[in-house]
Amino acid sequence: MAVRPSFALFLGIGTVIVVATLTALRSPESRPLPFAVQLFVHGHDDAIQRGERRVPLFMAPRAPVGVCLELASDLDTSQWQGRLGFGPSSFAGPFESPTLRAAERQLQILCFDTVLPAASSEERELILCGQVRDAIDGAIYDLPCRPIIASARWPSAYRRIWDAAVLEVPAFEETLAWARLALDEDFPLLAIDALLLQIRNQRRIGDDEAASRIRQLVATLPSSILDQPEAVRQYAILAYELAVWELDQGLWASAWKSLERSARAARRSAVPLGASIASRQAEILSRVGAVPEATALLRATLDPPSGPTAPYLLAAAREQLVWLLLQDPDSGPEDLAEAERLLEAAVAAADPNEDPTETANRWINFGYLRLRQGVDPGPELERAEKQLAELPAEDQRSRRLARWANMVAASADLEAGDWNRALARCRPLTNVDDEARLAAWAASCRGRAQRARGDLAAAAVELERALVIHESAGPQRLGQLVPPSPGMRADDFLRAARVAVEHSRPEEAWRLLARLDRMAVLREERLRCLERSEGQVLQSLWRRHAERGRELQRQLLALDVPATAQRQLQLERQVLEVKRQLQEHARRLPGCGLIEGGESLETADLKAFMLVDEIIVLERTPEGVVSVVRRTRGDRRELLANIEALDLALRERVLEDGRWRRLAQPLAAALVPPRNPGPITRYALYGALQRVPVAALPRPGAGWWSDETLIAVSAAGALRPPGRPSERSRRPLFVVDPVSNLPTARELGSVYRDLFPEATVLFRAAATRSAFVAALAEASSLHLDSHGRYDDRFPELSSLELADGPLLLQELAAAVPPLELANLSGCHTGRWPVTADAGSYGFAGLLARRGAVWVVASRTYLADALARDFNRVLYARLSQGMTLPQAYGEALANLRRRAPAAAWAGLMLLAGSEHSANLLENSAVATPSEGERSPVRP
C-alpha cells in the first residue's frame, strides 16, 4: 500500500492524533497508520470532561457504538474494511465493510460499528480500539485507541435536566434556562436535545411569534459546540427540524439554507438524513417550478441511496418521486411505468398498522397515475376517501389530502368533458391559504372548465389568478436564479395565452409569453450589477463569490484523476457533492436587486408554444402588430417523440435525409409560417420546442426552410447592451485549439491570421485562461475553436477547455463585453436543458443576453471537418465585407450542398441585441452530396 499524504488535523470530541506513543498498542501483524487521521466516536449520549480531555459517555447497556474516520479525499480507501474491539488485543470478529461512506468537501468519511459489552458495573472506563485492512494489498493498520465511559446509571444532574427539559417540554423561556444549565453542567448534547424538542413544540403550536422564537433557540447554541464532532451530528438533526418548520411557514430560502447546513453536518457525522434532506430540497424545487430538476435530485439520491437510511424514510422519498413524476406534464410512458413500479412496491411493503393518511396519500397518487394513463381514477380515489373517513374531521393532514383527492377527481372530469362537474369540484378550492400549489391548480381547473364552456372572459380571469399565484411562488422565493422548467405552471401561462388568442387578443398572448421570459431578464440585471456599481462592499462580495467558485472548481479538478473502477465509484459521491455546491454557488449571484433602467428587448419576429393538443405560432411586425399565423392540432406526446428522435439523430449524425424529413414534417407543418417575415426570421421557441432545429425543417419538395430565409433563434432575457467597442479599438479575437488535439486547427489558425491580420490569435498553449480573459476585454468579436463540456445534470458547470484548464459558464459571464459576433465552434456550446421561457441555450444564450449581436453555436456534437468547412466560408465572406447574416447564410448553404441535415442541423444562429439592416437573400442550393463523418469537438 502506497504512502498517502497527510492533511491538517482538527481537535474536538473524540479526536485522536496518531502519534508514536501508540506503537506499543498495535497488534503484531499490524502497523501504525502512515498518515494523519481524525477519529471520532458516535452513538454516545453526551460527553463529559475527564482531566484534560472530553470522553464520550454511553448511558445504555449494549448500546451501539461506532468510530468514524475523517480522511483526505485523495486517499484510496475503496477496499478498506474495519473491525472494532475494547482493548488493543480484542479484535475477535472479522473485518467488515464500512457502515457508511460519505464526503464533505475535501474529506472522506468512513464509519465502522459495534456494540458495547454487557455492563458489569455502574460506571466503567473502556478503551475502544480498531483496525482497518486494505484488501488491495492485505496491509493492516491500527486505529488510535479512544477511552469511553459506559454507565449503567445516569448522572443526577443529567437526569434532572432531562426530566424537566425533555420529558416535560416546558415553556419557551424555561427551555432556554434548562439548555443553559445543561451547558453549564457540561452536557452539550443534552442542551441540543432540549432545544430540538422545543423547536418541534413551536412547530406544533404555530403561533405568530414562532419565527423569532425558533431563531432565538438556535442562536443560543455556542459556536464551540459545533466544533465537536458528536455535536455536529446532533446539529444536523436540529438544522433539519428547523428547515422543516421554515418550509411549513413558506420560508423557502431560509429552509434551503438550513437544509444545506444539515446536509454538511450529516455528511460529516454519519447521520442518515440524506434521503430526507433531498426530499425536502426536491419539494422546494418543485414549488418554484423546477419539477424536472427536483426529480433528478431525488433519483440521484435514491439510486443508490446515499448512506444508511431508515426504510420508512426511503419509502417516503420514493413516493415523493412518484408525485413529481406525475406532476410533470411531459412525463412519458417510461416515467409513468417507473411511478407505477414505485407505487406497487410501496403497497407491497406497507405496514398494515400504518397511519391512514399515508395509505390515503398512496391511493391518491395511484388515482393520479391512472388519470395520467388515461384510465378512470375513481376506484383508487374511493379507497383514499375510505381511509380518510376513519380520521377526525379536524385532522389537518386528512383535510389537505381530501382537497388533493378532489382536485384529481376534477381533473378526471375535465378529461372526460364534464365541464360543469369539474367546475363544481374546483370552486370550493378558490382560497386555500395553506397550499399555494393547490390554489393555483384549482384556479387553472376553473379556467380550463370555463374555456370549455365557451366563457373566455371568465377563463382569462381564472387563469390570471393561477398565474399570479405562480409568480408569487417563483424562484425568487428561493433566493437562487433557478431557471423555470416546463411543467404545470408553464402550461398555465400557455393556456392563458391560448385563451387570449381565442378571445381575439393576440397581443395579450405575446405579453403573457414575455412574462415567462422575465426571470432570465432578472438574471442578466444581477450580472450587470457589478458593472454598474462602484460600491466597495458589492465589489468585495463579488470577489469573495468568485474566489469561492475557484475553490470549488479546484476541488472538482482534484477529483478528476485516473482510478480503478472501485476507486471511481468511491469518488462519484464526492464529485456529485462538489458539483451540487458549484451549481448552487453559480445560482447565488451577489447583486443589488433590480437595475434601474434595465431595459429588456423584444428580439423575436415569431413565437411558438405547444399545448397538450396544439401548437400556436404568433407573429409580430416591426410596427408591433401581433397576429396568429398558425394553429396546428397535434398530440404533444407524439410531437415530443419526434423531437426526441431528431435530437438522437443530431447526436449520432447518421440519419439519412428521407428519414429526417419524415420525422420533422409534423413539426414543419406546425412551425413554418405560410410566408417568411423577411430575409431573416427571428424565432422564440417555448418549452420543448427549443430542441427543434428549425433551420433544418423541410419544405415541400427537396428543400429546407433555411433555403428561403436566414433563421435565428431568440433566447430569453436579452437586455439592451450598455455600450460597444469603438471602431478604433476593434480587434477580433481568435482562440484556436487550446488543448492541441483538433486536427484542422493549424490550418485554421493560418486562415484567421491571413484574413484578419489585426486580430489577436491565441494559438494552442498561448490560449490560457488569463490570456483569454485579458484579450476578451478588448475584443469586438470572438471565435473559439475549442472543446465545449456540458453536464446535463449540472448545466451551470458547462465549460470551455482552455490551455490551462476549463473556463466555467459563470466565469465567462463576469468577463465578456458586448460583441459584434461570437462564433463558439465547439460541441454543446448552444445546449441547455429545456426551460419554460424562450430558452437559455448555454454559452450561446449567455453571450446573446450579454450584448452580442450574433452568436453561432452548436446544440450538439460538432464534427471537426464540418466546423472547418463552415468557418472557411464564413470568415472568407466576412473578410470580403459581408455582414454576419450574409456570411452565415453562405456558409450554411455550403454545408447543405455537401452534407445531410443530421450533420449540419445542430449549428444554430442566435439573434442578440441589435441587427444589421444590410441583408442578402440566400443563394439557391445545389444538389446535396453525401456528408463526411469526422472527429468531433466534444
Side-chain angles (χ1 to χ4, degrees), residues 19-87:
V19 293
T21 54
L22 293 172
T23 304
L25 297 178
R26 67 180 186 267
S27 303
E29 72 279 8
S30 64
R31 44 186 163 163
L33 287 165
F35 46 82
V37 61
Q38 181 184 11
L39 177 150
F40 61 88
V41 177
H42 71 82
H44 54 90
D45 300 282
D46 223 306
I48 58 177
Q49 197 73 25
R50 283 291 188 268
E52 296 183 355
R53 63 190 314 174
R54 299 194 59 78
V55 181
L57 173 64
F58 292 83
M59 294 182 290
R62 302 291 295 172
V65 55
V67 169
C68 292
L69 312 177
E70 286 188 357
L71 305 155
S73 60
D74 59 354
L75 299 179
D76 184 355
T77 63
S78 58
Q79 299 297 301
W80 277 26
Q81 299 171 314
R83 60 183 180 181
L84 304 178
F86 297 94

Side-chain angles (χ1 to χ4, degrees), residues 608-676:
F609 59 97
M610 179 167 55
L611 297 113
V612 68
D613 55 355
E614 71 171 324
I615 292 178
I616 297 177
V617 179
L618 305 175
E619 180 183 1
R620 180 177 175 176
T621 67
E623 295 75 30
V625 178
V626 180
S627 60
V628 181
V629 296
R630 278 207 187 280
R631 291 188 68 178
T632 308
R633 300 286 296 180
D635 184 274
R636 177 159 63 182
R637 288 170 296 185
E638 295 177 2
L639 291 170
L640 287 174
N642 283 14
I643 293 172
E644 182 63 35
L646 291 176
D647 200 44
L648 179 63
L650 285 178
R651 295 196 299 270
E652 296 183 349
R653 299 171 291 128
V654 294
L655 194 65
E656 50 88 19
D657 278 349
R659 174 66 174 156
W660 178 278
R661 294 180 68 86
R662 288 191 292 274
L663 286 172
Q665 184 55 48
L667 294 161
L671 294 175
V672 179
R675 62 176 181 81
N676 293 315

Side-chain angles (χ1 to χ4, degrees), residues 561-782:
V561 294
T564 64
Q566 295 91 339
R567 175 62 172 158
Q568 199 63 44
L569 288 173
Q570 183 188 16
L571 292 174
E572 280 181 4
R573 288 287 177 194
Q574 293 170 266
V575 170
L576 181 63
E577 176 52 35
V578 176
K579 283 186 174 183
R580 283 177 179 167
Q581 293 180 42
L582 260 172
Q583 181 184 54
E584 184 171 346
H585 175 78
R587 292 177 173 180
R588 290 187 182 279
L589 297 174
C592 46
L594 299 183
I595 305 299
E596 292 185 7
E599 182 182 355
S600 61
L601 295 176
E602 191 60 76
T603 61
D605 305 307
L606 299 173
K607 290 189 176 186
F609 59 97
M610 179 167 55
L611 297 113
V612 68
D613 55 355
E614 71 171 324
I615 292 178
I616 297 177
V617 179
L618 305 175
E619 180 183 1
R620 180 177 175 176
T621 67
E623 295 75 30
V625 178
V626 180
S627 60
V628 181
V629 296
R630 278 207 187 280
R631 291 188 68 178
T632 308
R633 300 286 296 180
D635 184 274
R636 177 159 63 182
R637 288 170 296 185
E638 295 177 2
L639 291 170
L640 287 174
N642 283 14
I643 293 172
E644 182 63 35
L646 291 176
D647 200 44
L648 179 63
L650 285 178
R651 295 196 299 270
E652 296 183 349
R653 299 171 291 128
V654 294
L655 194 65
E656 50 88 19
D657 278 349
R659 174 66 174 156
W660 178 278
R661 294 180 68 86
R662 288 191 292 274
L663 286 172
Q665 184 55 48
L667 294 161
L671 294 175
V672 179
R675 62 176 181 81
N676 293 315
I680 297 179
T681 300
R682 299 169 299 177
Y683 217 143
L685 300 160
Y686 287 79
L689 295 178
Q690 293 159 23
R691 299 172 64 191
V692 178
V694 285
L697 291 178
R699 296 296 279 159
W704 309 98
W705 189 21
S706 54
D707 297 342
E708 304 171 7
T709 181
L710 183 68
I711 303 162
V713 175
S714 292
L719 287 175
R720 190 174 300 282
R724 298 207 172 281
S726 67
E727 289 298 323
R728 288 182 303 172
S729 64
R730 183 177 179 83
R731 184 185 294 270
L733 171 61
F734 290 86
V735 179
V736 185
D737 193 20
V739 292
S740 305
N741 62 359
L742 292 176
T744 64
R746 184 179 297 276
E747 173 188 353
L748 287 174
S750 300
V751 169
Y752 303 147
R753 287 190 178 97
D754 291 342
L755 293 177
F756 303 96
E758 77 281 11
T760 299
V761 180
L762 299 178
F763 186 70
R764 292 193 170 174
T768 63
R769 288 157 47 92
S770 59
F772 171 70
V773 171
L776 187 60
E778 303 297 326
S780 60
S781 64
L782 167 66

Side-chain angles (χ1 to χ4, degrees), residues 384-618:
E385 291 172 4
K386 188 178 296 184
Q387 291 290 327
L388 295 176
E390 299 177 6
L391 297 169
E394 65 274 11
D395 185 89
Q396 291 188 3
R397 187 166 188 229
S398 67
R399 285 190 295 174
R400 177 173 173 270
L401 289 174
R403 294 181 189 128
W404 280 110
N406 195 41
M407 196 66 258
V408 174
S411 299
D413 293 334
L414 288 172
E415 295 290 335
D418 193 341
W419 320 118
N420 292 326
R421 187 175 182 184
L423 194 59
R425 288 186 191 272
C426 296
R427 187 170 284 121
L429 303 174
T430 302
N431 296 307
V432 184
D433 295 332
D434 61 341
E435 184 56 83
R437 287 177 296 178
L438 182 60
W441 196 349
S444 174
C445 168
R446 293 191 301 275
R448 294 165 64 192
Q450 295 287 19
R451 172 183 175 268
R453 297 172 70 205
D455 191 342
L456 295 178
V461 169
E462 294 292 357
L463 287 170
E464 176 61 25
R465 181 177 296 171
L467 300 189
V468 169
I469 297 172
H470 289 319
E471 288 174 323
S472 68
Q476 70 278 3
R477 290 275 302 278
L478 181 54
Q480 297 182 42
L481 300 173
V482 179
S485 302
M488 296 177 66
R489 70 175 56 198
D491 275 6
D492 282 341
F493 275 93
L494 304 183
R495 291 181 183 118
R498 173 164 64 180
V499 167
V501 165
E502 294 172 336
H503 212 190
S504 300
R505 296 175 178 173
E507 67 287 345
E508 176 62 23
W510 192 276
R511 284 195 293 269
L512 283 165
L513 296 176
R515 280 169 70 178
L516 267 178
D517 294 334
R518 181 59 183 161
M519 186 61 200
V521 173
L522 292 176
R523 180 181 181 88
E524 296 312 310
E525 287 176 343
R526 287 180 67 91
L527 282 169
R528 292 190 181 180
C529 186
L530 175 64
E531 301 166 2
R532 301 191 184 187
S533 172
E534 299 178 357
Q536 293 184 354
V537 173
L538 183 63
Q539 295 283 344
S540 177
L541 282 174
W542 274 85
R543 284 194 296 271
R544 291 201 299 269
H545 184 81
E547 180 53 39
R548 173 62 177 152
R550 286 191 290 270
E551 176 193 342
L552 289 168
Q553 189 177 356
R554 287 191 292 268
Q555 292 180 25
L556 190 61
L557 291 173
L559 296 171
D560 185 17
V561 294
T564 64
Q566 295 91 339
R567 175 62 172 158
Q568 199 63 44
L569 288 173
Q570 183 188 16
L571 292 174
E572 280 181 4
R573 288 287 177 194
Q574 293 170 266
V575 170
L576 181 63
E577 176 52 35
V578 176
K579 283 186 174 183
R580 283 177 179 167
Q581 293 180 42
L582 260 172
Q583 181 184 54
E584 184 171 346
H585 175 78
R587 292 177 173 180
R588 290 187 182 279
L589 297 174
C592 46
L594 299 183
I595 305 299
E596 292 185 7
E599 182 182 355
S600 61
L601 295 176
E602 191 60 76
T603 61
D605 305 307
L606 299 173
K607 290 189 176 186
F609 59 97
M610 179 167 55
L611 297 113
V612 68
D613 55 355
E614 71 171 324
I615 292 178
I616 297 177
V617 179
L618 305 175

